[in-house]
Amino acid sequence: METAGPRTRAAARLGAHATREEQRKRRPVRRWQRRRIEEEQEEAVFREVVSFTRDPLPARYYDKDTTKPVSFYLPSLEELLAWTPDAEDSFNVALEPLKCRQPPLSSQRPRTLLCHDMMGGYLDDNHHLVTIPPVGWTNAAHRHGVCVLGTFIAEWKEGGRLCEAFLAGDERSYQAVADQLVLIAQFFRFDGWLINIESSLSPAAVGNVPPFLRYLSTQLCRQVPGGLVLWYDSVVSSGQVKWQNELNEQNRIFFDSCHGFFTNYNWREEHLDRMVAQAGERRADVYVGVDVFARGNVVGGQFDTHKSLELIRKHGFSAALFAPGWVYECLEKRDFFQNQDKFWGLLGRYLPPHSICSLPFVTSFCLGMGTRRVCYGQEEAVGPWYHPSAQEIQPLFAEHRPEGDGQGWVKTHCCLEDAWNGGSSLLIRGVIPPEVGHVAVRLFSLHVPVPPKIFLSMVYKLEGPSDVGVALELTTGDAGSCHVGGISTLSAEVSSRHSPRPLRVPPTKLARWVGHCGQQLSGGWVQRCYEVNLRGCVLQDLWVSFSRPPGSREQEAFVCRLGELQVVDANSLLSPLPRVQAVSVSRVRWQRAAPEEEEEEEEEEEEEEERPARLRLSCALHWSYPLSHVRCFRIHCCRATGSPAEGPPGPEKPALLGLAFVNQYRVVDLAVAAAGPGTDGRVEFLVEPVSREGFLVPKAEWGRAALLYSGPHT
């Protein structure tokens, strides 16, 4: 799928057979006449004359100072009705598809909704009329099979005026608003809306709320499969704002007109008792609000939030956790991960997981953040980074203890101190007691009809001297119809757990994927690979097992870092990856480097020769590639200057700029040397696809584009 993106008219492609002299004659003298001038070895080349006159970038889409793409909101009814899809919006489109899950969200199993409201609405991303979910959040949620809703919020007197404008008239007014909300969700690829009207409404306006909700729900489901519209407990059928803290006859008409109802937070158990009859068979569509800050008269919040969930689940309702950012906002920042573990650990028994339903299944446990960036064991960059789209599938949260009176245990924690790929790994600590041979931890719940042959891979390392054995285990469903070849069965139960056989002699075509199996890798990591032959099976769970060393009868403690897990269809590894194509450079902006920047760079320069002046380059890259084949793209650059007589500059080791999760990337403030008289500056951009199966893609398959630039004409 190719993402639409901005491209200047002047980036028109010239004939690939033009001579170098002809290309120089075509050199433009004004920066907006940039042209793609040659194509050699699949590399597009663009020419730019440096100018410090800025082309204006739309403020709604780009930060006015840095030119970074920004998320945005619509603060007024006029802006909502005037919005139309634009190519500039493409940086905010979530292209991670919503993964299949089991049981599906449409089942009547109680659900859990998270409503984020940290620091007054994350400062910029909430409490506006229409808030579009940030693209990184949507990508991360979709990767886990989780829906994301935008918010439509009308508050106070201004909110009342706005609602009267589109609800008090005829159906054309509220249908126009609903149509725009559907179009926005469809275009940005999120999953629906929470409607929160906290302003008093006239009889005419409140009378049109139910048909507005019905129309919005119907149209959304036609355009967004599985779309959801939820109503917040505020306005009642009389038009007054009267929070009920329950579903009752005063607000039931809104519940009957959409997919779900989000109650206010000051309920008691008697409210839940009354709601059982009101909700009937739709108890899972009632999301009982829980304020994690514990404001007002609530059952439990903060570290007592589990008390509220216990009552909610007892009555069969869904839960809506409001402002879980309390853990970060109000507690010690340095203890954030420990406090997160404590908070969610207390809730774990009330949060049944859903299962992942598709292959390939690949995760490096990256949280989408880190203190450094690592690529397959090699450190690439040092310093804090944050990119929610880079978050990979996270494991089940729990502490595991063997049955019986044994003292063995296993605990898992996210860990930023080390990583195999990305910014974090999974830290597993445990104890194997003398009376048992091994302990195991279930990391993932799956529901995947398995192809005839699958390959599994695990990257791990043990901390300190340890002879504890580490193995990957899997659970299959229905042992009666599932035939497992080449695996020793550990139990004869309906759900059977198996230890796969290590893959020792891989097929030649899979050499890139299994090239490091069983070997010691950089940073002390080890990769183990497995082959499993199956027929008629459903893969249910992934476990990691830790066994005591042969002959040992003592208690064994261990610390293991898990860097990556993969389950892939063997046939998928036989198909070649496509090549990145049609890389283009557009939306270029030049700036002179600040004097202090040049001074710092001069101090670092060891050679005494005069250093060229420095520039800052910002631009947009676009390319074509089917996104279903990749985890992400790694964007690199090489920088050089030289004279025409010297020919092209020599190769430079590519420097990583960042990651992209769509077919585009915004380069911001890249330091480059200014081109001197009679010379060209050159920046080459490389787009490396990262395969879902984790092996490195040969450079021949990367996309390339070069930008040649010269000094301003006088």
Side-chain angles (χ1 to χ4, degrees):
M1 182 181 299
E2 182 176 358
T3 304
R7 179 169 178 163
T8 61
R9 292 182 182 175
R13 176 179 174 182
L14 300 184
H17 303 290
T19 66
R20 190 173 298 275
E21 181 60 29
E22 288 172 335
Q23 291 163 2
R24 288 205 167 273
K25 289 179 181 178
R26 293 171 180 169
R27 178 183 297 176
V29 296
R30 294 185 298 177
R31 69 179 302 275
W32 56 84
Q33 291 179 322
R34 180 172 60 255
R35 293 185 179 270
R36 179 173 173 174
I37 62 170
E38 62 182 77
E39 192 169 306
E40 297 176 358
Q41 299 179 346
E42 304 298 329
E43 180 180 80
V45 181
F46 297 80
R47 179 168 293 282
E48 177 81 5
V49 177
V50 174
S51 170
F52 302 110
T53 302
R54 298 184 181 182
D55 281 352
L57 292 174
R60 196 184 80 181
Y61 309 105
Y62 301 96
D63 184 276
K64 62 182 179 63
D65 296 319
T66 67
T67 77
K68 290 181 180 179
V70 295
S71 57
F72 69 96
Y73 54 86
L74 299 171
S76 69
L77 187 62
E78 292 74 20
E79 289 186 63
L80 170 61
L81 294 173
W83 181 85
T84 56
D86 190 285
E88 300 286 3
D89 283 311
S90 53
F91 278 106
N92 285 305
V93 175
L95 291 183
E96 180 72 33
L98 179 63
K99 289 296 193 313
C100 167
R101 59 187 278 177
Q102 188 63 236
L105 195 65
S106 58
S107 75
Q108 286 305 300
R109 188 178 78 166
R111 311 161 197 138
T112 305
L113 180 148
L114 297 184
C115 188
H116 294 282
D117 195 48
M118 195 182 79
M119 299 178 67
Y122 281 96
L123 305 183
D124 293 322
D125 291 333
N126 208 337
H127 284 275
H128 303 289
L129 176 64
V130 173
T131 299
I132 297 167
V135 61
W137 288 41
T138 305
N139 281 331
H142 280 183
R143 195 169 292 125
H144 289 80
V146 174
C147 295
V148 177
L149 306 183
T151 55
F152 180 94
I153 298 179
E155 302 174 292
W156 319 118
K157 289 184 178 180
E158 176 59 24
R161 183 199 64 78
L162 181 151
C163 288
E164 294 295 324
F166 81 93
L167 286 172
D170 59 24
E171 66 178 16
R172 290 176 298 180
S173 297
Y174 67 72
Q175 288 182 358
V177 169
D179 289 339
Q180 287 295 91
L181 294 177
V182 171
L183 182 61
I184 289 171
Q186 180 186 20
F187 180 82
F188 291 104
R189 302 189 186 183
F190 59 94
D191 307 292
W193 295 96
L194 170 65
I195 306 298
N196 180 8
I197 296 177
E198 299 194 56
S199 301
S200 296
L201 301 178
S202 67
V206 75
N208 274 332
V209 170
F212 164 66
L213 293 175
R214 286 193 295 270
Y215 181 81
L216 174 60
S217 301
T218 300
Q219 297 303 314
L220 180 71
C221 290
R222 288 177 178 171
Q223 302 300 327
V224 180
L228 290 173
V229 176
L230 305 184
W231 173 262
Y232 178 66
D233 168 21
S234 49
V235 169
V236 294
S237 57
S238 66
Q240 296 174 285
V241 176
K242 295 178 67 175
W243 296 274
Q244 299 296 293
N245 302 299
E246 65 177 315
L247 174 67
N248 59 28
E249 290 301 327
Q250 295 193 64
N251 51 36
R252 183 185 175 87
I253 189 171
F254 309 120
F255 175 60
D256 291 339
S257 302
C258 63
H259 301 114
F261 183 85
F262 182 154
T263 78
N264 196 46
Y265 313 103
N266 300 122
W267 50 268
R268 312 302 291 178
E269 187 169 11
E270 52 265 30
H271 293 87
L272 304 183
D273 292 336
R274 291 194 294 265
M275 282 199 297
V276 170
Q278 283 285 344
E281 296 181 354
R282 292 186 63 194
R283 270 189 277 180
D285 296 334
V286 177
Y287 298 80
V288 180
V290 179
D291 182 359
V292 176
F293 276 76
R295 291 164 288 203
N297 183 21
V298 300
V299 172
Q302 303 181 10
F303 285 127
D304 287 330
T305 298
H306 63 282
K307 296 179 180 178
S308 294
L309 259 69
E310 181 180 10
L311 288 179
I312 293 169
R313 298 308 194 211
K314 172 185 171 182
H315 290 78
F317 294 114
S318 294
L321 298 181
F322 179 75
W326 167 83
V327 176
Y328 181 84
E329 188 174 347
C330 296
L331 303 179
E332 283 288 342
K333 304 294 188 293
R334 65 174 179 267
D335 299 328
F336 172 65
F337 286 108
Q338 296 92 317
N339 289 326
Q340 277 280 85
D341 287 349
K342 178 180 178 180
F343 179 80
W344 293 105
L346 291 167
L347 305 184
R349 63 184 298 186
Y350 308 111
L351 303 175
H354 58 261
S355 301
I356 297 165
C357 300
S358 60
L359 296 181
F361 171 82
V362 179
T363 181
S364 66
F365 305 96
C366 180
L367 295 171
M369 58 178 290
T371 57
R372 61 191 185 120
R373 195 188 296 274
V374 181
C375 179
Y376 303 124
Q378 300 290 333
E379 185 175 83
E380 291 186 310
V382 177
W385 63 276
Y386 179 74
H387 198 323
S389 286
Q391 184 180 114
E392 300 204 348
I393 298 174
Q394 297 299 301
L396 301 175
F397 181 90
E399 178 180 340
H400 303 263
R401 293 185 179 273
E403 295 180 1
D405 298 327
Q407 299 301 307
W409 55 267
V410 187
K411 295 180 180 179
T412 62
H413 308 273
C414 57
C415 176
L416 298 180
E417 295 177 4
D418 204 353
W420 164 249
N421 191 41
S424 55
S425 58
L426 185 68
L427 184 66
I428 307 177
R429 301 178 184 271
V431 168
I432 308 172
E435 63 270 17
V436 301
H438 77 282
V439 294
V441 56
R442 185 174 73 125
L443 295 181
F444 294 99
S445 173
L446 308 176
H447 188 86
V448 181
V450 185
K453 180 181 288 188
I454 59 174
F455 291 113
L456 300 93
S457 169
M458 174 176 62
V459 177
Y460 71 95
K461 65 177 173 181
L462 289 165
E463 298 291 309
S466 177
D467 294 322
V468 168
V470 184
L472 189 61
E473 296 182 354
L474 56 89
T475 302
T476 59
D478 192 355
S481 64
C482 174
H483 174 75
V484 182
I487 295 179
S488 58
T489 302
L490 300 182
S491 69
E493 301 170 354
V494 173
S495 285
S496 301
R497 210 161 100 204
H498 314 280
S499 295
R501 178 182 63 201
L503 182 65
R504 301 190 183 280
V505 184
T508 304
K509 290 185 178 181
L510 308 179
R512 278 190 296 174
W513 185 74
V514 298
H516 299 294
C517 291
Q519 298 182 17
Q520 191 81 14
L521 307 176
S522 60
W525 297 96
V526 175
Q527 183 174 11
R528 297 281 300 276
C529 303
Y530 305 88
E531 175 184 353
V532 184
N533 295 284
L534 303 165
R535 187 173 68 248
C537 302
V538 173
L539 183 60
Q540 287 189 332
D541 300 293
L542 287 179
W543 301 67
V544 174
S545 174
F546 301 89
S547 57
R548 65 174 52 260
S552 168
R553 297 184 181 278
E554 303 295 325
Q555 177 172 287
E556 295 283 347
F558 61 87
V559 178
C560 179
R561 295 186 191 277
L562 202 56
E564 186 175 71
L565 285 181
Q566 297 187 46
V567 183
V568 299
D569 181 350
N571 286 332
S572 72
L573 295 177
L574 303 179
S575 303
L577 282 172
R579 178 176 296 178
V580 177
Q581 297 181 333
V583 182
S584 66
V585 182
S586 62
R587 289 290 194 187
V588 177
R589 190 180 82 164
W590 297 97
Q591 289 181 290
R592 294 183 178 89
E596 57 270 19
E597 293 180 87
E598 295 208 11
E599 289 175 6
E600 290 175 4
E601 292 177 355
E602 287 173 4
E603 291 174 2
E604 296 173 359
E605 182 67 29
E606 296 180 359
E607 300 180 8
E608 295 183 359
E609 62 184 82
E610 184 177 350
R611 186 179 179 87
R614 307 295 287 175
L615 301 173
R616 294 285 174 180
L617 166 65
S618 299
C619 61
L621 306 178
H622 291 82
W623 58 90
S624 175
Y625 197 86
L627 294 171
S628 60
H629 290 263
V630 292
R631 295 161 83 172
C632 65
F633 300 93
R634 290 155 44 82
I635 313 301
H636 310 266
C637 77
C638 297
R639 291 162 283 196
T641 60
S643 67
E646 294 171 351
E652 178 191 86
K653 182 180 179 181
L656 179 70
L657 295 179
L659 304 180
F661 294 84
V662 291
N663 288 326
Q664 56 188 347
Y665 182 82
R666 181 71 187 174
V667 179
V668 176
D669 287 342
L670 176 65
V672 298
T679 65
D680 284 335
R682 177 185 174 95
V683 182
E684 184 180 25
F685 297 106
L686 301 97
V687 180
E688 174 192 3
V690 178
S691 71
R692 290 197 179 273
E693 294 80 14
F695 55 78
L696 294 174
V697 176
K699 285 189 177 180
E701 310 299 327
W702 296 14
R704 299 169 179 269
L707 178 66
L708 302 183
Y709 57 93
S710 56
H713 284 252
T714 57

